[in-house]
Amino acid sequence: MTSTTPPALQVMRILSVLALLATGGIHLFLVFDGVGGVLGVMFVLNAVAAVVLAIGILFLRGRLRQAATVLSLLFLLATLGALLLALTVGLFGITETWTFTLVPQTVVVESIGIVILAVTTALALRKGAVARV
């Protein structure tokens, strides 16, 4: 992170990376805990995507970092949305219950991550708009 990056944005980027890694870690844990089949493959892909996006937020610069931040927010929104769909009407034939392993914790972690990434995205895009002036 450069010295021209506001401290608030630096802190929010670190929190965003932690939120992404927590989400990916939960999904990877569930695979090792026995979730298999198509759902297990999707969980592994979720974990890989979380790590790739976290690396992007940490190491990319300029517009690429802004894009990684926006994509990370959309990623967490989609991940939580998929879980909520599975809990309510089902998703791709998969239905989930609140009593399954780490479901309540996942909802909390992903919800907090969405708030963190929304703030990070707003700060990153605002910083980019100010820098272009």
Side-chain angles (χ1 to χ4, degrees):
M1 292 177 221
T2 64
S3 61
T4 61
T5 304
L9 182 55
Q10 289 179 1
V11 169
M12 292 309 295
R13 280 190 186 128
I14 298 300
L15 290 175
S16 296
V17 166
L18 292 174
L20 285 167
L21 293 178
T23 298
I26 288 170
H27 286 88
L28 196 57
F29 170 80
L30 291 171
V31 171
F32 290 126
D33 195 47
V35 174
V38 173
L39 187 58
V41 171
M42 292 186 333
F43 280 10
V44 169
L45 292 174
N46 183 291
V48 170
V51 170
V52 168
L53 289 167
I55 290 169
I57 288 176
L58 283 177
F59 297 111
L60 293 176
R61 298 282 181 249
R63 287 192 184 270
L64 289 176
R65 180 181 277 170
Q66 289 176 338
T69 305
V70 171
L71 289 174
S72 296
L73 175 59
L74 294 174
F75 169 75
L76 277 186
L77 284 167
T79 301
L80 180 60
L83 176 56
L84 294 177
L85 281 173
L87 285 166
T88 55
V89 296
L91 181 66
F92 305 125
I94 299 167
T95 53
E96 196 55 74
T97 63
W98 280 98
T99 57
F100 188 73
T101 307
L102 294 179
V103 168
Q105 293 87 344
T106 302
V107 171
V108 170
V109 167
E110 290 177 356
S111 298
I112 292 169
I114 288 169
V115 172
I116 290 169
L117 273 157
V119 172
T120 305
T121 301
L123 289 172
L125 294 178
R126 186 181 73 183
K127 179 191 178 287
V130 171
R132 285 191 293 270
V133 173

Coordinates of all heavy atoms in Angstrom, one line a residue, residues 24-60:
G24 N -14.0 -18.0 2.5 CA -13.4 -19.1 1.8 C -13.0 -20.2 2.7 O -13.2 -21.4 2.4
G25 N -12.5 -19.9 3.9 CA -12.1 -20.9 4.8 C -13.3 -21.7 5.3 O -13.2 -22.9 5.5
I26 N -14.4 -21.1 5.5 CA -15.6 -21.8 6.0 C -16.0 -22.8 4.9 O -16.3 -24.0 5.2 CB -16.8 -20.8 6.2 CG1 -16.6 -20.0 7.5 CG2 -18.1 -21.6 6.3 CD1 -17.5 -18.9 7.8
H27 N -16.0 -22.4 3.6 CA -16.4 -23.3 2.5 C -15.4 -24.4 2.4 O -15.8 -25.6 2.2 CB -16.6 -22.5 1.2 CG -17.8 -21.7 1.2 ND1 -17.9 -20.4 1.7 CD2 -19.1 -22.0 0.8 CE1 -19.1 -20.0 1.6 NE2 -19.9 -20.9 1.0
L28 N -14.1 -24.1 2.5 CA -13.1 -25.2 2.4 C -13.3 -26.2 3.6 O -13.1 -27.4 3.4 CB -11.7 -24.6 2.4 CG -10.6 -25.5 1.9 CD1 -10.9 -26.1 0.5 CD2 -9.3 -24.8 1.9
F29 N -13.5 -25.7 4.8 CA -13.7 -26.5 6.0 C -14.9 -27.5 5.7 O -14.8 -28.7 6.1 CB -14.0 -25.7 7.2 CG -14.5 -26.5 8.4 CD1 -13.5 -27.2 9.1 CD2 -15.8 -26.6 8.7 CE1 -14.0 -28.0 10.2 CE2 -16.2 -27.4 9.7 CZ -15.3 -28.1 10.5
L30 N -16.0 -26.9 5.1 CA -17.1 -27.8 4.9 C -16.8 -28.9 3.9 O -17.4 -30.0 4.0 CB -18.3 -26.9 4.4 CG -18.9 -26.0 5.4 CD1 -19.9 -25.0 4.8 CD2 -19.5 -26.8 6.6
V31 N -16.0 -28.6 2.9 CA -15.5 -29.7 2.0 C -14.8 -30.8 2.8 O -15.0 -32.0 2.6 CB -14.7 -29.1 0.9 CG1 -14.1 -30.2 0.0 CG2 -15.5 -28.2 0.0
F32 N -13.9 -30.4 3.6 CA -13.1 -31.4 4.4 C -14.0 -32.0 5.5 O -13.6 -33.1 6.0 CB -11.9 -30.7 5.1 CG -10.8 -30.3 4.1 CD1 -10.3 -29.0 4.1 CD2 -10.3 -31.3 3.2 CE1 -9.3 -28.7 3.2 CE2 -9.3 -30.9 2.3 CZ -8.8 -29.6 2.3
D33 N -15.1 -31.4 5.8 CA -16.0 -32.0 6.8 C -17.0 -33.0 6.2 O -17.8 -33.6 6.9 CB -16.8 -30.9 7.5 CG -17.5 -31.3 8.8 OD1 -16.8 -32.0 9.6 OD2 -18.7 -31.0 8.9
G34 N -16.9 -33.1 4.9 CA -17.7 -34.1 4.2 C -18.7 -33.7 3.2 O -19.4 -34.5 2.6
V35 N -18.8 -32.4 2.9 CA -19.7 -32.0 1.8 C -19.0 -32.4 0.5 O -17.9 -32.0 0.2 CB -19.9 -30.4 1.8 CG1 -20.7 -30.0 0.6 CG2 -20.6 -30.0 3.1
G36 N -19.7 -33.1 -0.3 CA -19.1 -33.6 -1.5 C -20.0 -33.4 -2.7 O -21.0 -32.5 -2.7
G37 N -19.8 -34.0 -3.8 CA -20.6 -33.9 -5.0 C -20.4 -32.5 -5.6 O -19.4 -31.9 -5.5
V38 N -21.5 -32.1 -6.3 CA -21.5 -30.8 -7.0 C -21.3 -29.7 -6.0 O -20.6 -28.7 -6.2 CB -22.8 -30.6 -7.8 CG1 -22.9 -29.2 -8.4 CG2 -22.8 -31.7 -8.9
L39 N -22.0 -29.8 -4.9 CA -21.9 -28.8 -3.8 C -20.4 -28.7 -3.3 O -19.9 -27.6 -3.1 CB -22.8 -29.1 -2.7 CG -22.9 -28.0 -1.6 CD1 -23.4 -26.7 -2.2 CD2 -23.9 -28.4 -0.5
G40 N -19.8 -29.8 -3.1 CA -18.4 -29.7 -2.7 C -17.5 -29.1 -3.7 O -16.6 -28.3 -3.3
V41 N -17.7 -29.3 -5.0 CA -16.9 -28.7 -6.0 C -17.2 -27.2 -6.0 O -16.2 -26.4 -6.1 CB -17.2 -29.3 -7.4 CG1 -16.6 -28.5 -8.5 CG2 -16.8 -30.7 -7.5
M42 N -18.4 -26.8 -5.9 CA -18.7 -25.4 -5.8 C -18.1 -24.7 -4.6 O -17.6 -23.5 -4.7 CB -20.2 -25.1 -5.8 CG -20.9 -25.5 -7.2 SD -22.6 -25.2 -7.5 CE -23.4 -25.2 -5.9
F43 N -18.0 -25.4 -3.5 CA -17.4 -24.9 -2.3 C -15.9 -24.7 -2.5 O -15.3 -23.7 -2.0 CB -17.7 -25.7 -1.1 CG -19.1 -25.5 -0.4 CD1 -20.0 -24.8 -1.1 CD2 -19.4 -26.1 0.8 CE1 -21.3 -24.6 -0.5 CE2 -20.6 -25.9 1.4 CZ -21.6 -25.2 0.7
V44 N -15.3 -25.6 -3.1 CA -13.8 -25.5 -3.4 C -13.6 -24.3 -4.3 O -12.7 -23.5 -4.1 CB -13.2 -26.8 -4.0 CG1 -11.8 -26.5 -4.6 CG2 -13.2 -27.9 -3.0
L45 N -14.4 -24.1 -5.4 CA -14.3 -23.0 -6.3 C -14.5 -21.7 -5.5 O -13.9 -20.7 -5.8 CB -15.3 -23.1 -7.4 CG -15.0 -24.2 -8.4 CD1 -16.1 -24.3 -9.4 CD2 -13.6 -24.0 -9.1
N46 N -15.5 -21.7 -4.6 CA -15.7 -20.5 -3.7 C -14.5 -20.1 -2.9 O -14.1 -19.0 -2.8 CB -16.9 -20.8 -2.8 CG -17.3 -19.6 -1.9 OD1 -16.5 -19.2 -1.1 ND2 -18.4 -19.0 -2.2
A47 N -13.8 -21.1 -2.3 CA -12.6 -20.9 -1.5 C -11.5 -20.3 -2.4 O -10.8 -19.4 -2.0 CB -12.2 -22.2 -0.8
V48 N -11.3 -20.9 -3.6 CA -10.3 -20.4 -4.5 C -10.6 -19.0 -5.0 O -9.7 -18.1 -5.0 CB -10.2 -21.4 -5.8 CG1 -9.3 -20.8 -6.8 CG2 -9.7 -22.7 -5.3
A49 N -11.8 -18.7 -5.3 CA -12.2 -17.4 -5.7 C -11.9 -16.4 -4.6 O -11.5 -15.2 -4.8 CB -13.6 -17.3 -6.1
A50 N -12.2 -16.7 -3.3 CA -12.0 -15.8 -2.2 C -10.5 -15.5 -2.0 O -10.2 -14.3 -1.8 CB -12.6 -16.5 -0.9
V51 N -9.7 -16.5 -2.2 CA -8.2 -16.3 -2.1 C -7.7 -15.4 -3.2 O -7.0 -14.4 -3.0 CB -7.5 -17.6 -2.1 CG1 -6.0 -17.4 -2.2 CG2 -7.8 -18.4 -0.8
V52 N -8.2 -15.7 -4.5 CA -7.8 -14.8 -5.6 C -8.2 -13.4 -5.4 O -7.4 -12.5 -5.7 CB -8.3 -15.4 -6.9 CG1 -8.2 -14.5 -8.1 CG2 -7.7 -16.8 -7.2
L53 N -9.4 -13.2 -5.0 CA -9.9 -11.8 -4.8 C -9.2 -11.1 -3.6 O -8.8 -9.9 -3.8 CB -11.4 -11.8 -4.5 CG -12.3 -12.1 -5.7 CD1 -13.7 -12.4 -5.3 CD2 -12.3 -11.0 -6.7
A54 N -8.9 -11.9 -2.6 CA -8.1 -11.3 -1.5 C -6.7 -10.9 -1.9 O -6.2 -9.8 -1.6 CB -8.0 -12.3 -0.3
I55 N -6.1 -11.7 -2.7 CA -4.7 -11.4 -3.3 C -4.9 -10.1 -4.2 O -4.0 -9.2 -4.1 CB -4.2 -12.6 -4.1 CG1 -3.8 -13.7 -3.1 CG2 -3.0 -12.1 -4.9 CD1 -3.4 -15.0 -3.7
G56 N -5.9 -10.1 -5.0 CA -6.1 -8.9 -5.8 C -6.3 -7.6 -5.0 O -5.7 -6.6 -5.4
I57 N -7.0 -7.6 -3.9 CA -7.2 -6.4 -3.1 C -5.8 -6.0 -2.5 O -5.5 -4.9 -2.3 CB -8.2 -6.7 -2.0 CG1 -9.6 -6.7 -2.7 CG2 -8.2 -5.6 -1.0 CD1 -10.8 -7.0 -1.7
L58 N -5.0 -7.0 -2.1 CA -3.8 -6.7 -1.5 C -2.7 -6.2 -2.4 O -1.9 -5.3 -2.1 CB -3.2 -7.9 -0.8 CG -3.8 -8.3 0.6 CD1 -3.2 -9.6 1.1 CD2 -3.7 -7.2 1.6
F59 N -2.6 -6.8 -3.6 CA -1.4 -6.6 -4.5 C -1.7 -5.8 -5.8 O -0.7 -5.3 -6.4 CB -0.8 -7.9 -4.8 CG -0.2 -8.6 -3.6 CD1 -0.8 -9.8 -3.1 CD2 0.8 -8.0 -2.9 CE1 -0.3 -10.4 -2.0 CE2 1.3 -8.6 -1.7 CZ 0.8 -9.8 -1.3
L60 N -2.9 -5.7 -6.2 CA -3.2 -4.9 -7.4 C -3.2 -3.4 -7.1 O -3.3 -3.0 -5.9 CB -4.5 -5.3 -8.0 CG -4.6 -6.7 -8.6 CD1 -6.0 -7.0 -9.1 CD2 -3.5 -6.9 -9.7

